[in-house]
């Protein structure tokens, strides 16, 4: 299950702005994007990931992604960082 990967990751970022910055800096190893997030929010991140060759894992739900990251609200995206 993809949520388990982000849940057990030792180093991660949560939220689209922080995830975008991590991809720009070359720190993100895998990016998780919720399918039910607004496309206008996630489309720039998807483009950047493709440009940088970062793997994208699509997950079903913002709320479940937020919970897997240990926060009480939903999140459109998160990333596992390279160690």
């Amino acid at each position: 299950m993809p949520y388990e990967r982000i849940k057990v990751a030792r180093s991660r970022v949560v939220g689209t702005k922080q995830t975008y910055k991590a991809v720009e800096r070359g720190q993100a190893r895998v990016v998780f994007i919720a399918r039910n997030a607004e496309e206008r929010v996630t489309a720039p991140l998807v483009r950047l990931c493709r440009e940088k060759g970062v793997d994208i894992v699509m997950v079903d739900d913002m709320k479940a992604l937020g919970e897997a990251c240990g926060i009480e609200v939903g999140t459109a995206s998160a990333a596992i960082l390279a160690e």
Side-chain angles (χ1 to χ4, degrees):
M1 178 167 210
Y3 296 111
E4 195 63 31
R5 285 178 69 190
I6 192 82
K7 191 180 234 180
V8 300
R10 289 197 296 179
S11 184
R12 65 178 171 236
V13 292
V14 180
T16 303
K17 287 181 184 178
Q18 295 300 319
T19 300
Y20 193 92
K21 289 177 188 177
V23 174
E24 276 186 320
R25 294 179 188 137
Q27 297 171 328
R29 206 173 63 195
V30 179
V31 170
F32 295 80
I33 298 176
R35 285 189 179 95
N36 65 340
E38 291 184 38
E39 187 177 343
R40 67 177 180 80
V41 173
T42 59
L45 178 59
V46 170
R47 274 193 302 276
L48 182 63
C49 287
R50 289 184 178 146
E51 287 172 15
K52 300 279 189 174
V54 176
D55 290 337
I56 300 171
V57 176
M58 297 302 291
V59 295
D60 293 327
D61 185 53
M62 289 175 59
K63 179 113 175 88
L65 182 57
E67 288 173 1
C69 293
I71 61 173
E72 294 181 15
V73 296
T75 185
S77 61
I80 296 175
L81 302 179
E83 298 190 20

